Amino acid sequence: NCIGRLCCFLVVIVRSLAVLMVVVLQGQWKYHKALSLLAFQSFGVVYGDLSTSPLYVFKSALSGLDKYSDEATVFGLLSLIFWTLTLIPLLKYVIIVLGADDNGEGGTFALYSLLCRHAKMSLLPNQQAADEELSTYYQPGVDRTAMSSPFKRFLEKHKKLRTCLLLFVLFGACMVIGDGVLTPTISVLAALSGLQDRGTGGLGNGWVVLIACVVLVGLFALQHRGTHRVAFVFAPIVVLWLLSIGVIGLYNIIHWNPRVCLALSPHYIVKFFKITGRDGWISLGGVLLAVTGTEAMFADLGHFTAASIRLAFVGVIYPCLVLQYMGQAAFLSKNMSDVHDSFYLSIPRTVFWPMFVLASLAAIVGSQSIISATFSIVKQCLSLGCFPRVKVVHTSRWIYGQIYIPEINWILMVLCLAVTVGFRDINIIGNAYGLACITVMFVTTWLMALVIIFVWKKNILLALSFLVFFGSIEGAYLSASFIKVPQGGWTPIALAFVFMFIMYVWHYGTRRKYLFDLQNKVSMKWILTLGPSLGIVRVPGIGLIYTELVTGVPAIFSHFVTNLPAFHQILVFVCVKSVPVPYVPVDERYLIGRIGPRQYRMYRCIVRYGYKDVQKDDENFENHLVMSIAKFIQMEAEEAASSGSYESSNEGRMAVIHTTDATGTGLIMRDSNEGTSLTRSSKSETLQSLQSIYEQESGGLSRRRVRFQVAEEEQINPQVRDELSDLLEAKEAGVAYIIGHSYVKARKNSNFLKSFAIDYAYSFLRKNCRGPSVTLHIPHISLIEVGMIYYV
């Protein structure tokens, strides 16, 4: 009867694989080929952690059940593992949560971003109504009509609730970073533990820890190669690993105890708790390790697609893991004394060493998924103003969103080595690891319930059902994990609070600085009283003044005007800001507007990025900016002509300018070696020489030099032609990047906490992170920094 049940289970798996194969072979070949390729790559990035869980699950779960060494206990644990694996990764994530992507992106911040757009819960300071017109702001097929409900109005009305939601999200993000520390440690140590049992005489624990440290250093040193390359190298290892543990699991079922198939019944869970009582409840912390790495399916969604992740999980991951856990349970039911290392001892001796090598490689791969997820989470925090500025490297030319952050990579490596050397015990690290993972899942469950209400616009009862069902399951595991806080569980909590403190201090200081700028804007009336010359000499050139304001003129501008005898002929106030969408299309990135009357030659440029966009060093930024302003001038003139007055004021109006289309600008762009320009450059020979030296020292990569000229078209308005000529003359004279070198200090009447946060914590972070000029890729040869003190 048991063999019959096993055969039925295998038939279901084979039929599922057959159906998937038929789907792949039918329809559009190119699509399915790409889907299969992405599914194959996902093994090396997404599923490495989840697939290595069999190395330590039974060992951790049975560590406190020494008094219950019988078959019923093992079958009860197997039933718990099977149903946990079915309900959380399969039902919750694969079927439900993966459908809540934010334009293809996943993770805690993707859910938060969806809520910010659909329920106005964002705390980002410089948001505009124009952001809602982005093509990526709303998902395709989603009803854009605003849903009005008392619950939604209640959340939007109370700022403290929105702040609590942000802190809740940050706590989940910090736990993901904690995962990034604990996953590599436990995976590598568990894989190398086989050396203590089957080596030549057996290696001591010290040697195993030393080898683990060497492996961890090598793993983090490989990260700069990028997820794309790592996935192709690691994916075959994980596939071979999964097939091998699946086959060994099937062998152990048949060889040791075919009756283990009965344990798939939930009846054995009830029986398990009747026998073990409180000890069984505490053992849930070990059972939880069977689903660690599940959150990576959602967090790494941006690297792949939901369809490819689902295909890989249902077709390979789930059946192979179930067979392996059943095989280990069958082995343990007859060999309870081998619980200390059940995985390696259940392997047939003839294939032990090949499996040991494969397990070690798979453990290294298992760390990759959470490392990639950590990079993504930190990048999202950075974009939303909740993390100090760090270097973000885009590692793939073809796959959008695959990044590498050097500072975070080396911090994770140091913390991993500290945990490995400090604990040296898989059970203690497992306690910490399980608590970090279940906390992230719990945060996702609560955010997902809000998404069901506000984004999917479903009945609140459906959201409550989702929250109660999965929240109760995860709450039980969370309560069991908290019992083990003194036995290592404090580690992820300590790490989370350290990173959360850094994030919140940075967010608080940045927001206070922005509010200072907002409250001390220069009045337009004062600028108008100065006249078109602004009371100073206007010299040829373009001055790009960087500010965080999207409206008005920052206080630093009055600082310039009152202290400098001359200023540039063309002034452009540039604001580089983040929008709560995963990415902004290039054609919708630039918003151009005018400040003051036309004769003042003052413009505003807002450059918008999503939280997954990587701000690259765009060598054509200056050219894009000139073309965008020229197109805006033409567009404004056409609208003025239709109204009958060119002098009509359009101040405050912003227009989206498509930078990839040069038509309609009234300009012709040529390479500098294509003839001569009509306007002679006013750059001195000394400055041109310095520019050449700077380009040589920067690696010999000079920027593309182009020259503009006004198109000879009779229909161009003479005033438009004059404005375009002034723009080109200024461009030929050179572009200067002006940025404030700010010092932020707390006011004298501030309380102790605020003074400490601003004067010490925020100041320390600003001094030790990347400068804004580096983050914005401003060339140093053209940079002007002006100091200013902010009393917040």
Side-chain angles (χ1 to χ4, degrees):
N1 185 31
C2 294
I3 294 178
R5 287 178 180 235
L6 177 61
C7 292
C8 291
F9 180 69
L10 292 175
V11 168
V12 171
I13 293 174
V14 172
R15 289 181 64 184
S16 299
L17 290 172
V19 170
L20 289 172
M21 289 299 296
V22 170
V23 170
V24 171
L25 294 174
Q26 291 178 347
Q28 299 178 356
W29 169 247
K30 288 185 179 180
Y31 169 76
H32 293 302
K33 182 180 178 181
L35 179 64
S36 302
L37 181 61
L38 284 174
F40 176 74
Q41 281 187 291
S42 70
F43 287 110
V45 176
V46 177
Y47 291 116
D49 184 14
L50 189 61
S51 65
T52 54
S53 296
L55 287 168
Y56 43 77
V57 169
F58 275 106
K59 177 181 179 179
S60 297
L62 289 168
S63 61
L65 299 175
D66 299 332
K67 298 182 292 184
Y68 312 98
S69 303
D70 55 12
E71 183 181 274
T73 303
V74 175
F75 280 17
L77 279 176
L78 173 62
S79 188
L80 276 170
I81 292 170
F82 172 76
W83 286 106
T84 303
L85 199 62
T86 302
L87 293 177
I88 295 182
L90 182 60
L91 180 58
K92 177 188 168 184
Y93 279 88
V94 172
I95 297 178
I96 301 176
V97 175
L98 286 180
D101 66 291
D102 183 11
N103 290 286
E105 299 297 332
T108 340
F109 269 98
L111 297 178
Y112 178 67
S113 174
L114 286 173
L115 293 173
C116 288
R117 302 204 303 270
H118 290 81
K120 301 190 185 304
M121 296 181 185
S122 175
L123 290 175
L124 285 176
N126 50 8
Q127 299 306 291
Q128 301 169 277
D131 297 338
E132 299 183 17
E133 299 175 6
L134 289 168
S135 59
T136 53
Y137 198 86
Y138 293 99
Q139 293 178 291
V142 174
D143 184 13
R144 297 194 179 190
T145 57
M147 183 193 73
S148 179
S149 68
F151 183 44
K152 181 182 177 183
R153 290 194 298 269
F154 179 74
L155 289 176
E156 292 178 348
K157 181 181 178 181
H158 294 82
K159 183 181 176 182
K160 289 184 179 180
L161 291 177
R162 288 182 285 147
T163 304
C164 290
L165 178 64
L166 176 63
L167 291 174
F168 189 62
V169 172
L170 289 180
F171 186 69
C174 292
M175 280 296 184
V176 173
I177 299 176
D179 279 354
V181 175
L182 297 168
T183 300
T185 305
I186 192 171
S187 298
V188 173
L189 272 179
L192 296 177
S193 64
L195 293 173
Q196 295 176 289
D197 300 311
R198 297 282 186 112
T200 308
L203 290 179
N205 189 53
W207 283 104
V208 172
V209 170
L210 178 61
I211 296 172
C213 290
V214 173
V215 171
L216 288 171
V217 171
L219 172 66
F220 284 100
L222 187 65
Q223 293 303 312
H224 73 280
R225 304 298 297 174
T227 306
H228 179 69
R229 294 181 178 89
V230 170
F232 266 114
V233 174
F234 285 171
I237 297 173
V238 177
V239 172
L240 184 58
W241 162 257
L242 286 165
L243 295 177
S244 299
I245 63 175
V247 170
I248 290 175
L250 181 61
Y251 166 80
N252 284 333
I253 294 170
I254 298 172
H255 178 74
W256 291 106
N257 191 354
R259 292 183 64 253
V260 77
C261 300
L262 297 173
L264 300 183
S265 170
H267 164 72
Y268 281 88
I269 297 178
V270 178
K271 190 176 180 180
F272 171 78
F273 284 114
K274 284 183 178 180
I275 297 173
T276 58
R278 185 176 183 274
D279 292 334
W281 173 63
I282 295 175
S283 72
L284 288 178
V287 175
L288 172 63
L289 298 179
V291 293
T292 52
T294 300
E295 185 68 25
M297 286 195 292
F298 190 45
D300 288 332
L301 183 59
H303 295 195
F304 305 97
T305 62
S308 63
I309 290 176
R310 286 175 173 137
L311 176 64
F313 185 85
V314 175
V316 180
I317 300 290
Y318 182 74
C320 289
L321 287 180
V322 169
L323 286 174
Q324 169 56 212
Y325 286 124
M326 291 174 67
Q328 272 197 66
F331 170 79
L332 284 173
S333 65
K334 303 299 182 182
N335 303 274
M336 284 301 296
S337 60
D338 293 331
V339 69
H340 64 282
D341 199 6
S342 59
F343 176 81
Y344 281 114
L345 294 176
S346 66
I347 297 174
R349 298 185 66 88
T350 53
V351 295
F352 171 80
W353 284 110
M355 283 302 297
F356 170 76
V357 174
L358 198 56
S360 302
L361 294 174
I364 297 173
V365 179
S367 308
Q368 179 62 42
S369 61
I370 199 63
I371 293 173
S372 301
T374 303
F375 291 156
S376 298
I377 285 289
V378 171
K379 172 62 178 68
Q380 293 170 21
C381 294
L382 176 64
S383 298
L384 296 178
C386 296
F387 202 86
R389 293 180 292 265
V390 291
K391 183 178 182 180
V392 179
V393 181
H394 200 206
T395 58
S396 175
R397 187 180 301 173
W398 301 277
I399 301 177
Y400 196 82
Q402 294 190 357
I403 58 174
Y404 164 69
I405 304 178
E407 293 95 331
I408 299 300
N409 184 64
W410 303 124
I411 289 173
L412 289 179
M413 186 190 75
V414 171
L415 291 175
C416 279
L417 294 177
V419 171
T420 304
V421 175
F423 288 140
R424 302 187 175 204
D425 187 343
I426 294 176
N427 290 330
I428 296 178
I429 299 173
N431 295 337
Y433 184 35
L435 179 59
C437 292
I438 195 60
T439 304
V440 177
M441 295 179 192
F442 196 63
V443 170
T444 300
T445 298
W446 280 86
L447 292 177
M448 190 65 204
L450 294 176
V451 167
I452 292 173
I453 299 173
F454 298 126
V455 181
W456 291 356
K457 296 181 173 60
K458 302 297 182 182
N459 192 293
I460 194 171
L461 293 177
L462 181 63
L464 284 175
S465 301
F466 175 88
L467 181 62
V468 170
F469 181 74
F470 290 107
S472 59
I473 296 172
E474 292 165 356
Y477 283 113
L478 187 61
S479 62
S481 298
F482 269 116
I483 294 295
K484 298 185 178 181
V485 166
Q487 291 84 38
W490 58 268
T491 307
I493 297 176
L495 289 173
F497 274 109
V498 169
F499 279 103
M500 193 172 176
F501 174 77
I502 292 172
M503 289 181 182
Y504 189 73
V505 165
W506 183 264
H507 175 76
Y508 177 75
T510 303
R511 185 172 178 82
R512 298 304 302 180
K513 179 176 175 292
Y514 173 81
L515 291 176
F516 179 91
D517 272 333
L518 194 63
Q519 295 165 3
N520 293 273
K521 290 191 295 186
V522 177
S523 68
M524 202 64 218
K525 182 179 179 180
W526 180 74
I527 293 178
L528 292 176
T529 58
L530 296 177
S533 67
L534 300 178
I536 53 178
V537 179
R538 301 289 290 269
V539 297
I542 297 179
L544 303 183
I545 303 174
Y546 280 82
T547 175
E548 294 180 2
L549 296 178
V550 294
T551 58
V553 177
I556 197 172
F557 178 69
S558 63
H559 194 59
F560 286 136
V561 172
T562 54
N563 289 279
L564 295 179
F567 219 71
H568 298 86
Q569 178 184 2
I570 302 292
L571 293 179
V572 184
F573 293 88
V574 181
C575 173
V576 180
K577 73 168 194 173
S578 293
V579 185
V581 297
Y583 58 90
V584 176
V586 177
D587 273 346
E588 301 176 34
R589 180 154 291 156
Y590 288 84
L591 272 174
I592 302 294
R594 185 187 295 280
I595 299 177
R598 289 180 174 84
Q599 59 267 29
Y600 280 60
R601 301 296 192 255
M602 295 167 62
Y603 308 92
R604 185 186 308 283
C605 173
I606 298 176
V607 188
R608 301 179 291 185
Y609 288 94
Y611 60 79
K612 294 288 285 186
D613 279 324
V614 178
Q615 299 180 26
K616 300 179 183 178
D617 183 6
D618 188 0
E619 64 177 14
N620 291 320
F621 172 72
E622 296 174 6
N623 300 329
H624 284 160
L625 182 63
V626 171
M627 297 294 283
S628 299
I629 294 175
K631 184 176 287 190
F632 172 78
I633 293 170
Q634 287 279 68
M635 184 187 305
E636 190 182 47
E638 291 173 2
E639 293 181 359
S642 62
S643 66
S645 173
Y646 180 75
E647 296 300 328
S648 61
S649 176
N650 284 313
E651 183 188 343
R653 175 184 176 275
M654 304 293 294
V656 178
I657 303 299
H658 301 285
T659 56
T660 57
D661 183 11
T663 60
T665 62
L667 301 181
I668 299 175
M669 184 171 64
R670 304 180 186 278
D671 288 333
S672 59
N673 55 359
E674 294 183 12
T676 59
S677 173
L678 298 177
T679 308
R680 185 176 179 274
S681 174
S682 64
K683 281 186 180 179
S684 66
E685 294 181 2
T686 304
L687 185 58
Q688 292 176 1
S689 176
L690 287 173
Q691 179 76 28
S692 301
I693 295 172
Y694 171 76
E695 290 172 353
Q696 291 173 4
E697 291 179 351
S698 299
L701 298 175
S702 60
R703 294 171 178 263
R704 181 192 176 197
R705 291 199 177 102
V706 298
R707 293 185 182 274
F708 295 94
Q709 65 184 57
V710 180
E712 297 296 331
E713 297 178 3
E714 296 181 359
Q715 61 268 30
I716 295 182
N717 186 296
Q719 292 175 302
V720 173
R721 184 181 294 276
D722 289 342
E723 192 169 2
L724 292 177
S725 298
D726 289 345
L727 179 64
L728 300 192
E729 180 183 354
K731 173 64 172 68
E732 291 301 320
V735 178
Y737 296 79
I738 304 158
I739 192 168
H741 190 83
S742 56
Y743 298 88
V744 183
K745 296 182 178 295
R747 293 176 181 173
K748 292 182 179 180
N749 59 347
S750 302
N751 58 45
F752 172 76
L753 287 177
K754 181 178 178 180
S755 299
F756 176 79
I758 296 296
D759 293 341
Y760 297 97
Y762 184 66
S763 177
F764 175 81
L765 293 175
R766 281 178 60 86
K767 289 178 182 177
N768 291 277
C769 70
R770 291 169 66 84
S773 60
V774 179
T775 306
L776 296 169
H777 304 287
I778 296 175
H780 294 291
I781 193 70
S782 305
L783 176 64
I784 300 174
E785 287 188 291
V786 177
M788 186 171 179
I789 299 178
Y790 287 75
Y791 288 100
V792 299

